[in-house]
PDB file of all heavy atoms in Angstrom:
ATOM      1  N   GLY A   1      13.803 -17.495  11.830  1.00 97.00           N
ATOM      2  CA  GLY A   1      14.911 -18.183  11.364  1.00 97.00           C
ATOM      3  C   GLY A   1      15.209 -18.190   9.877  1.00 97.00           C
ATOM      4  O   GLY A   1      15.737 -19.229   9.361  1.00 97.00           O
ATOM      5  N   LEU A   2      14.788 -17.196   9.179  1.00 98.00           N
ATOM      6  CA  LEU A   2      14.991 -17.080   7.727  1.00 98.00           C
ATOM      7  C   LEU A   2      16.568 -17.057   7.417  1.00 98.00           C
ATOM      8  O   LEU A   2      17.293 -16.403   8.217  1.00 98.00           O
ATOM      9  CB  LEU A   2      14.336 -15.964   7.053  1.00 98.00           C
ATOM     10  CG  LEU A   2      12.842 -15.825   7.304  1.00 98.00           C
ATOM     11  CD1 LEU A   2      12.182 -14.822   6.370  1.00 98.00           C
ATOM     12  CD2 LEU A   2      12.087 -17.190   7.114  1.00 98.00           C
ATOM     13  N   VAL A   3      16.927 -17.677   6.380  1.00 97.00           N
ATOM     14  CA  VAL A   3      18.372 -17.668   6.026  1.00 97.00           C
ATOM     15  C   VAL A   3      18.941 -16.261   5.642  1.00 97.00           C
ATOM     16  O   VAL A   3      20.047 -15.980   5.679  1.00 97.00           O
ATOM     17  CB  VAL A   3      18.735 -18.769   5.041  1.00 97.00           C
ATOM     18  CG1 VAL A   3      18.392 -20.094   5.590  1.00 97.00           C
ATOM     19  CG2 VAL A   3      18.028 -18.528   3.695  1.00 97.00           C
ATOM     20  N   GLU A   4      18.009 -15.497   5.002  1.00 97.00           N
ATOM     21  CA  GLU A   4      18.350 -14.289   4.620  1.00 97.00           C
ATOM     22  C   GLU A   4      17.031 -13.333   4.513  1.00 97.00           C
ATOM     23  O   GLU A   4      15.903 -13.944   4.340  1.00 97.00           O
ATOM     24  CB  GLU A   4      18.928 -14.266   3.190  1.00 97.00           C
ATOM     25  CG  GLU A   4      19.399 -12.997   2.579  1.00 97.00           C
ATOM     26  CD  GLU A   4      20.086 -13.049   1.209  1.00 97.00           C
ATOM     27  OE1 GLU A   4      20.210 -14.310   0.737  1.00 97.00           O
ATOM     28  OE2 GLU A   4      20.226 -12.172   0.554  1.00 97.00           O
ATOM     29  N   HIS A   5      17.186 -12.001   4.641  1.00 98.00           N
ATOM     30  CA  HIS A   5      16.056 -11.143   4.429  1.00 98.00           C
ATOM     31  C   HIS A   5      16.514  -9.940   3.733  1.00 98.00           C
ATOM     32  O   HIS A   5      17.536  -9.218   4.189  1.00 98.00           O
ATOM     33  CB  HIS A   5      15.448 -10.777   5.890  1.00 98.00           C
ATOM     34  CG  HIS A   5      14.289  -9.869   5.730  1.00 98.00           C
ATOM     35  ND1 HIS A   5      14.125  -8.613   6.508  1.00 98.00           N
ATOM     36  CD2 HIS A   5      13.231  -9.832   5.007  1.00 98.00           C
ATOM     37  CE1 HIS A   5      12.993  -8.085   6.202  1.00 98.00           C
ATOM     38  NE2 HIS A   5      12.450  -8.779   5.316  1.00 98.00           N
ATOM     39  N   ARG A   6      15.809  -9.541   2.706  1.00 97.00           N
ATOM     40  CA  ARG A   6      16.120  -8.420   1.870  1.00 97.00           C
ATOM     41  C   ARG A   6      14.978  -7.520   1.873  1.00 97.00           C
ATOM     42  O   ARG A   6      13.881  -7.875   1.768  1.00 97.00           O
ATOM     43  CB  ARG A   6      16.565  -8.831   0.452  1.00 97.00           C
ATOM     44  CG  ARG A   6      17.761  -9.802   0.393  1.00 97.00           C
ATOM     45  CD  ARG A   6      18.002 -10.160  -1.016  1.00 97.00           C
ATOM     46  NE  ARG A   6      18.556  -9.002  -1.794  1.00 97.00           N
ATOM     47  CZ  ARG A   6      19.872  -8.766  -1.895  1.00 97.00           C
ATOM     48  NH1 ARG A   6      20.818  -9.502  -1.364  1.00 97.00           N
ATOM     49  NH2 ARG A   6      20.287  -7.680  -2.581  1.00 97.00           N
ATOM     50  N   VAL A   7      15.299  -6.182   1.971  1.00 98.00           N
ATOM     51  CA  VAL A   7      14.190  -5.159   1.851  1.00 98.00           C
ATOM     52  C   VAL A   7      14.728  -4.236   0.700  1.00 98.00           C
ATOM     53  O   VAL A   7      15.757  -3.689   0.685  1.00 98.00           O
ATOM     54  CB  VAL A   7      14.045  -4.326   3.036  1.00 98.00           C
ATOM     55  CG1 VAL A   7      13.068  -3.181   2.910  1.00 98.00           C
ATOM     56  CG2 VAL A   7      13.691  -5.180   4.354  1.00 98.00           C
ATOM     57  N   ILE A   8      13.818  -4.128  -0.349  1.00 97.00           N
ATOM     58  CA  ILE A   8      14.131  -3.222  -1.497  1.00 97.00           C
ATOM     59  C   ILE A   8      13.142  -2.242  -1.646  1.00 97.00           C
ATOM     60  O   ILE A   8      11.953  -2.416  -1.283  1.00 97.00           O
ATOM     61  CB  ILE A   8      14.379  -4.046  -2.788  1.00 97.00           C
ATOM     62  CG1 ILE A   8      13.064  -4.903  -3.167  1.00 97.00           C
ATOM     63  CG2 ILE A   8      15.515  -5.119  -2.591  1.00 97.00           C
ATOM     64  CD1 ILE A   8      13.199  -5.443  -4.558  1.00 97.00           C
ATOM     65  N   ALA A   9      13.512  -1.100  -2.237  1.00 97.00           N
ATOM     66  CA  ALA A   9      12.665   0.023  -2.442  1.00 97.00           C
ATOM     67  C   ALA A   9      12.106   0.056  -3.840  1.00 97.00           C
ATOM     68  O   ALA A   9      12.796  -0.067  -4.799  1.00 97.00           O
ATOM     69  CB  ALA A   9      13.351   1.376  -2.153  1.00 97.00           C
ATOM     70  N   VAL A  10      10.769   0.218  -3.917  1.00 97.00           N
ATOM     71  CA  VAL A  10      10.057   0.277  -5.221  1.00 97.00           C
ATOM     72  C   VAL A  10       8.989   1.388  -4.951  1.00 97.00           C
ATOM     73  O   VAL A  10       7.923   1.066  -4.370  1.00 97.00           O
ATOM     74  CB  VAL A  10       9.298  -0.972  -5.677  1.00 97.00           C
ATOM     75  CG1 VAL A  10       8.745  -0.862  -6.979  1.00 97.00           C
ATOM     76  CG2 VAL A  10      10.344  -2.125  -5.685  1.00 97.00           C
ATOM     77  N   ASN A  11       9.231   2.592  -5.347  1.00 96.00           N
ATOM     78  CA  ASN A  11       8.385   3.709  -4.958  1.00 96.00           C
ATOM     79  C   ASN A  11       7.044   3.795  -5.696  1.00 96.00           C
ATOM     80  O   ASN A  11       6.892   4.649  -6.593  1.00 96.00           O
ATOM     81  CB  ASN A  11       9.176   4.950  -5.008  1.00 96.00           C
ATOM     82  CG  ASN A  11       8.428   6.183  -4.339  1.00 96.00           C
ATOM     83  OD1 ASN A  11       7.456   5.949  -3.567  1.00 96.00           O
ATOM     84  ND2 ASN A  11       8.798   7.350  -4.538  1.00 96.00           N
ATOM     85  N   LEU A  12       6.068   2.985  -5.366  1.00 96.00           N
ATOM     86  CA  LEU A  12       4.817   3.098  -6.025  1.00 96.00           C
ATOM     87  C   LEU A  12       4.013   4.235  -5.567  1.00 96.00           C
ATOM     88  O   LEU A  12       3.038   4.624  -6.201  1.00 96.00           O
ATOM     89  CB  LEU A  12       3.992   1.720  -5.664  1.00 96.00           C
ATOM     90  CG  LEU A  12       4.698   0.407  -6.046  1.00 96.00           C
ATOM     91  CD1 LEU A  12       3.720  -0.793  -5.688  1.00 96.00           C
ATOM     92  CD2 LEU A  12       4.932   0.417  -7.559  1.00 96.00           C
ATOM     93  N   ALA A  13       4.437   4.834  -4.416  1.00 96.00           N
ATOM     94  CA  ALA A  13       3.754   6.029  -3.950  1.00 96.00           C
ATOM     95  C   ALA A  13       4.019   7.271  -4.900  1.00 96.00           C
ATOM     96  O   ALA A  13       3.277   8.286  -4.846  1.00 96.00           O
ATOM     97  CB  ALA A  13       4.276   6.451  -2.613  1.00 96.00           C
ATOM     98  N   SER A  14       4.988   7.205  -5.823  1.00 95.00           N
ATOM     99  CA  SER A  14       5.307   8.320  -6.607  1.00 95.00           C
ATOM    100  C   SER A  14       4.174   8.718  -7.574  1.00 95.00           C
ATOM    101  O   SER A  14       4.094   9.870  -8.036  1.00 95.00           O
ATOM    102  CB  SER A  14       6.696   8.139  -7.411  1.00 95.00           C
ATOM    103  OG  SER A  14       6.517   7.009  -8.311  1.00 95.00           O
ATOM    104  N   TRP A  15       3.322   7.766  -7.940  1.00 95.00           N
ATOM    105  CA  TRP A  15       2.190   8.068  -8.709  1.00 95.00           C
ATOM    106  C   TRP A  15       0.814   7.860  -8.038  1.00 95.00           C
ATOM    107  O   TRP A  15      -0.224   8.102  -8.599  1.00 95.00           O
ATOM    108  CB  TRP A  15       2.203   7.313 -10.115  1.00 95.00           C
ATOM    109  CG  TRP A  15       2.486   5.858  -9.927  1.00 95.00           C
ATOM    110  CD1 TRP A  15       1.625   4.860  -9.526  1.00 95.00           C
ATOM    111  CD2 TRP A  15       3.708   5.169 -10.285  1.00 95.00           C
ATOM    112  NE1 TRP A  15       2.261   3.648  -9.549  1.00 95.00           N
ATOM    113  CE2 TRP A  15       3.519   3.789 -10.122  1.00 95.00           C
ATOM    114  CE3 TRP A  15       4.886   5.597 -10.778  1.00 95.00           C
ATOM    115  CZ2 TRP A  15       4.473   2.851 -10.288  1.00 95.00           C
ATOM    116  CZ3 TRP A  15       5.874   4.670 -11.045  1.00 95.00           C
ATOM    117  CH2 TRP A  15       5.714   3.296 -10.761  1.00 95.00           C
ATOM    118  N   GLY A  16       0.865   7.502  -6.750  1.00 92.00           N
ATOM    119  CA  GLY A  16      -0.349   7.418  -5.941  1.00 92.00           C
ATOM    120  C   GLY A  16      -1.321   6.415  -6.486  1.00 92.00           C
ATOM    121  O   GLY A  16      -0.985   5.279  -6.940  1.00 92.00           O
ATOM    122  N   GLY A  17      -2.636   6.739  -6.437  1.00 95.00           N
ATOM    123  CA  GLY A  17      -3.714   5.830  -6.879  1.00 95.00           C
ATOM    124  C   GLY A  17      -4.248   4.938  -5.819  1.00 95.00           C
ATOM    125  O   GLY A  17      -5.036   4.050  -6.090  1.00 95.00           O
ATOM    126  N   SER A  18      -3.824   5.091  -4.584  1.00 96.00           N
ATOM    127  CA  SER A  18      -4.219   4.221  -3.546  1.00 96.00           C
ATOM    128  C   SER A  18      -4.144   5.022  -2.206  1.00 96.00           C
ATOM    129  O   SER A  18      -3.256   5.793  -1.949  1.00 96.00           O
ATOM    130  CB  SER A  18      -3.288   2.972  -3.391  1.00 96.00           C
ATOM    131  OG  SER A  18      -3.663   2.320  -2.191  1.00 96.00           O
ATOM    132  N   SER A  19      -5.087   4.779  -1.273  1.00 95.00           N
ATOM    133  CA  SER A  19      -5.040   5.372   0.012  1.00 95.00           C
ATOM    134  C   SER A  19      -3.975   4.774   0.878  1.00 95.00           C
ATOM    135  O   SER A  19      -3.650   5.373   1.908  1.00 95.00           O
ATOM    136  CB  SER A  19      -6.383   5.322   0.680  1.00 95.00           C
ATOM    137  OG  SER A  19      -6.828   3.956   0.816  1.00 95.00           O
ATOM    138  N   LEU A  20      -3.302   3.704   0.431  1.00 95.00           N
ATOM    139  CA  LEU A  20      -2.153   3.204   1.192  1.00 95.00           C
ATOM    140  C   LEU A  20      -0.861   3.974   0.879  1.00 95.00           C
ATOM    141  O   LEU A  20       0.050   3.885   1.665  1.00 95.00           O
ATOM    142  CB  LEU A  20      -1.929   1.668   0.902  1.00 95.00           C
ATOM    143  CG  LEU A  20      -2.945   0.626   1.407  1.00 95.00           C
ATOM    144  CD1 LEU A  20      -2.393  -0.717   1.342  1.00 95.00           C
ATOM    145  CD2 LEU A  20      -3.302   0.926   2.910  1.00 95.00           C
ATOM    146  N   THR A  21      -0.885   4.640  -0.266  1.00 95.00           N
ATOM    147  CA  THR A  21       0.342   5.382  -0.732  1.00 95.00           C
ATOM    148  C   THR A  21       0.168   6.847  -0.870  1.00 95.00           C
ATOM    149  O   THR A  21       1.139   7.645  -1.054  1.00 95.00           O
ATOM    150  CB  THR A  21       0.829   4.762  -2.148  1.00 95.00           C
ATOM    151  OG1 THR A  21      -0.157   4.926  -2.993  1.00 95.00           O
ATOM    152  CG2 THR A  21       1.250   3.312  -1.956  1.00 95.00           C
ATOM    153  N   ASP A  22      -1.044   7.320  -0.783  1.00 94.00           N
ATOM    154  CA  ASP A  22      -1.400   8.785  -0.891  1.00 94.00           C
ATOM    155  C   ASP A  22      -2.085   9.211   0.370  1.00 94.00           C
ATOM    156  O   ASP A  22      -3.216   8.935   0.593  1.00 94.00           O
ATOM    157  CB  ASP A  22      -2.284   8.951  -2.097  1.00 94.00           C
ATOM    158  CG  ASP A  22      -2.548  10.454  -2.432  1.00 94.00           C
ATOM    159  OD1 ASP A  22      -2.271  11.257  -1.537  1.00 94.00           O
ATOM    160  OD2 ASP A  22      -3.074  10.741  -3.456  1.00 94.00           O
ATOM    161  N   THR A  23      -1.326  10.011   1.167  1.00 90.00           N
ATOM    162  CA  THR A  23      -1.830  10.464   2.425  1.00 90.00           C
ATOM    163  C   THR A  23      -2.958  11.442   2.319  1.00 90.00           C
ATOM    164  O   THR A  23      -3.582  11.910   3.310  1.00 90.00           O
ATOM    165  CB  THR A  23      -0.682  11.023   3.332  1.00 90.00           C
ATOM    166  OG1 THR A  23      -0.055  12.089   2.606  1.00 90.00           O
ATOM    167  CG2 THR A  23       0.300   9.928   3.656  1.00 90.00           C
ATOM    168  N   ASP A  24      -3.169  11.969   1.034  1.00 92.00           N
ATOM    169  CA  ASP A  24      -4.379  12.837   0.875  1.00 92.00           C
ATOM    170  C   ASP A  24      -5.684  12.163   0.759  1.00 92.00           C
ATOM    171  O   ASP A  24      -6.747  12.697   0.872  1.00 92.00           O
ATOM    172  CB  ASP A  24      -4.130  13.652  -0.413  1.00 92.00           C
ATOM    173  CG  ASP A  24      -2.999  14.750  -0.350  1.00 92.00           C
ATOM    174  OD1 ASP A  24      -2.728  15.217   0.810  1.00 92.00           O
ATOM    175  OD2 ASP A  24      -2.463  15.039  -1.335  1.00 92.00           O
ATOM    176  N   LEU A  25      -5.555  10.785   0.702  1.00 93.00           N
ATOM    177  CA  LEU A  25      -6.753   9.931   0.674  1.00 93.00           C
ATOM    178  C   LEU A  25      -6.913   9.293   2.034  1.00 93.00           C
ATOM    179  O   LEU A  25      -5.965   8.863   2.627  1.00 93.00           O
ATOM    180  CB  LEU A  25      -6.654   8.869  -0.453  1.00 93.00           C
ATOM    181  CG  LEU A  25      -6.395   9.361  -1.880  1.00 93.00           C
ATOM    182  CD1 LEU A  25      -6.197   8.165  -2.754  1.00 93.00           C
ATOM    183  CD2 LEU A  25      -7.610  10.193  -2.362  1.00 93.00           C
ATOM    184  N   ALA A  26      -8.143   9.218   2.437  1.00 91.00           N
ATOM    185  CA  ALA A  26      -8.461   8.532   3.763  1.00 91.00           C
ATOM    186  C   ALA A  26      -8.548   7.070   3.632  1.00 91.00           C
ATOM    187  O   ALA A  26      -9.086   6.517   2.673  1.00 91.00           O
ATOM    188  CB  ALA A  26      -9.757   9.153   4.323  1.00 91.00           C
ATOM    189  N   ILE A  27      -8.014   6.396   4.634  1.00 91.00           N
ATOM    190  CA  ILE A  27      -8.246   4.944   4.807  1.00 91.00           C
ATOM    191  C   ILE A  27      -9.664   4.648   5.118  1.00 91.00           C
ATOM    192  O   ILE A  27     -10.178   5.265   6.092  1.00 91.00           O
ATOM    193  CB  ILE A  27      -7.317   4.380   5.864  1.00 91.00           C
ATOM    194  CG1 ILE A  27      -5.844   4.571   5.558  1.00 91.00           C
ATOM    195  CG2 ILE A  27      -7.606   2.872   6.055  1.00 91.00           C
ATOM    196  CD1 ILE A  27      -5.279   3.809   4.411  1.00 91.00           C
ATOM    197  N   PRO A  28     -10.326   3.861   4.333  1.00 88.00           N
ATOM    198  CA  PRO A  28     -11.809   3.592   4.644  1.00 88.00           C
ATOM    199  C   PRO A  28     -11.968   3.072   6.093  1.00 88.00           C
ATOM    200  O   PRO A  28     -11.261   2.137   6.516  1.00 88.00           O
ATOM    201  CB  PRO A  28     -12.208   2.573   3.611  1.00 88.00           C
ATOM    202  CG  PRO A  28     -11.225   2.792   2.475  1.00 88.00           C
ATOM    203  CD  PRO A  28      -9.934   3.133   3.160  1.00 88.00           C
ATOM    204  N   ALA A  29     -12.930   3.603   6.725  1.00 81.00           N
ATOM    205  CA  ALA A  29     -13.285   3.118   8.136  1.00 81.00           C
ATOM    206  C   ALA A  29     -14.392   2.184   8.215  1.00 81.00           C
ATOM    207  O   ALA A  29     -14.695   1.558   9.217  1.00 81.00           O
ATOM    208  CB  ALA A  29     -13.507   4.312   9.119  1.00 81.00           C
ATOM    209  N   GLU A  30     -15.101   2.046   7.015  1.00 79.00           N
ATOM    210  CA  GLU A  30     -16.279   1.174   6.903  1.00 79.00           C
ATOM    211  C   GLU A  30     -15.812  -0.113   6.116  1.00 79.00           C
ATOM    212  O   GLU A  30     -15.041  -0.067   5.244  1.00 79.00           O
ATOM    213  CB  GLU A  30     -17.379   1.861   6.205  1.00 79.00           C
ATOM    214  CG  GLU A  30     -17.914   3.084   6.953  1.00 79.00           C
ATOM    215  CD  GLU A  30     -18.561   2.796   8.324  1.00 79.00           C
ATOM    216  OE1 GLU A  30     -19.141   1.658   8.317  1.00 79.00           O
ATOM    217  OE2 GLU A  30     -18.375   3.587   9.216  1.00 79.00           O
ATOM    218  N   PRO A  31     -16.452  -1.288   6.434  1.00 76.00           N
ATOM    219  CA  PRO A  31     -16.159  -2.493   5.705  1.00 76.00           C
ATOM    220  C   PRO A  31     -16.407  -2.261   4.215  1.00 76.00           C
ATOM    221  O   PRO A  31     -17.362  -1.588   3.789  1.00 76.00           O
ATOM    222  CB  PRO A  31     -17.130  -3.499   6.329  1.00 76.00           C
ATOM    223  CG  PRO A  31     -17.410  -2.974   7.670  1.00 76.00           C
ATOM    224  CD  PRO A  31     -17.406  -1.436   7.552  1.00 76.00           C
ATOM    225  N   SER A  32     -15.645  -2.939   3.390  1.00 72.00           N
ATOM    226  CA  SER A  32     -15.892  -2.855   1.993  1.00 72.00           C
ATOM    227  C   SER A  32     -17.165  -3.562   1.590  1.00 72.00           C
ATOM    228  O   SER A  32     -17.482  -4.606   2.282  1.00 72.00           O
ATOM    229  CB  SER A  32     -14.692  -3.561   1.206  1.00 72.00           C
ATOM    230  OG  SER A  32     -13.533  -2.940   1.464  1.00 72.00           O
ATOM    231  N   ARG A  33     -17.893  -3.013   0.589  1.00 73.00           N
ATOM    232  CA  ARG A  33     -19.135  -3.651   0.116  1.00 73.00           C
ATOM    233  C   ARG A  33     -18.770  -4.774  -0.870  1.00 73.00           C
ATOM    234  O   ARG A  33     -17.753  -4.786  -1.540  1.00 73.00           O
ATOM    235  CB  ARG A  33     -20.023  -2.656  -0.645  1.00 73.00           C
ATOM    236  CG  ARG A  33     -20.499  -1.542   0.321  1.00 73.00           C
ATOM    237  CD  ARG A  33     -21.596  -0.790  -0.319  1.00 73.00           C
ATOM    238  NE  ARG A  33     -21.015  -0.037  -1.439  1.00 73.00           N
ATOM    239  CZ  ARG A  33     -20.541   1.215  -1.418  1.00 73.00           C
ATOM    240  NH1 ARG A  33     -20.515   1.865  -0.246  1.00 73.00           N
ATOM    241  NH2 ARG A  33     -20.146   1.845  -2.542  1.00 73.00           N
ATOM    242  N   ALA A  34     -19.612  -5.856  -0.824  1.00 71.00           N
ATOM    243  CA  ALA A  34     -19.421  -7.003  -1.797  1.00 71.00           C
ATOM    244  C   ALA A  34     -19.223  -6.443  -3.193  1.00 71.00           C
ATOM    245  O   ALA A  34     -20.040  -5.661  -3.709  1.00 71.00           O
ATOM    246  CB  ALA A  34     -20.566  -8.006  -1.592  1.00 71.00           C
ATOM    247  N   GLY A  35     -18.223  -6.934  -3.876  1.00 73.00           N
ATOM    248  CA  GLY A  35     -18.012  -6.585  -5.264  1.00 73.00           C
ATOM    249  C   GLY A  35     -17.231  -5.344  -5.436  1.00 73.00           C
ATOM    250  O   GLY A  35     -16.925  -4.965  -6.624  1.00 73.00           O
ATOM    251  N   GLU A  36     -17.007  -4.626  -4.379  1.00 83.00           N
ATOM    252  CA  GLU A  36     -16.299  -3.337  -4.501  1.00 83.00           C
ATOM    253  C   GLU A  36     -14.767  -3.475  -4.231  1.00 83.00           C
ATOM    254  O   GLU A  36     -14.406  -4.228  -3.282  1.00 83.00           O
ATOM    255  CB  GLU A  36     -16.861  -2.361  -3.475  1.00 83.00           C
ATOM    256  CG  GLU A  36     -16.146  -1.006  -3.398  1.00 83.00           C
ATOM    257  CD  GLU A  36     -16.684  -0.087  -2.249  1.00 83.00           C
ATOM    258  OE1 GLU A  36     -16.627  -0.529  -1.092  1.00 83.00           O
ATOM    259  OE2 GLU A  36     -17.135   0.923  -2.578  1.00 83.00           O
TER     260      GLU A  36
END
């Protein structure tokens, strides 16, 4: 029941740097190590 909902585009994928935005990088299937 939000009074309004906005979706805006901010293309962080254009420079990559993350497996969430760069499909050439694999999403880790193992738990992250402490401090990593």
Side-chain angles (χ1 to χ4, degrees):
L2 304 192
V3 296
E4 183 182 350
H5 179 227
R6 302 179 69 93
V7 180
I8 63 174
V10 184
N11 189 15
L12 301 182
S14 62
W15 48 74
S18 168
S19 56
L20 289 192
T21 58
D22 185 346
T23 55
D24 289 334
L25 301 176
I27 298 290
E30 298 296 326
S32 299
R33 295 191 296 269
E36 175 188 60

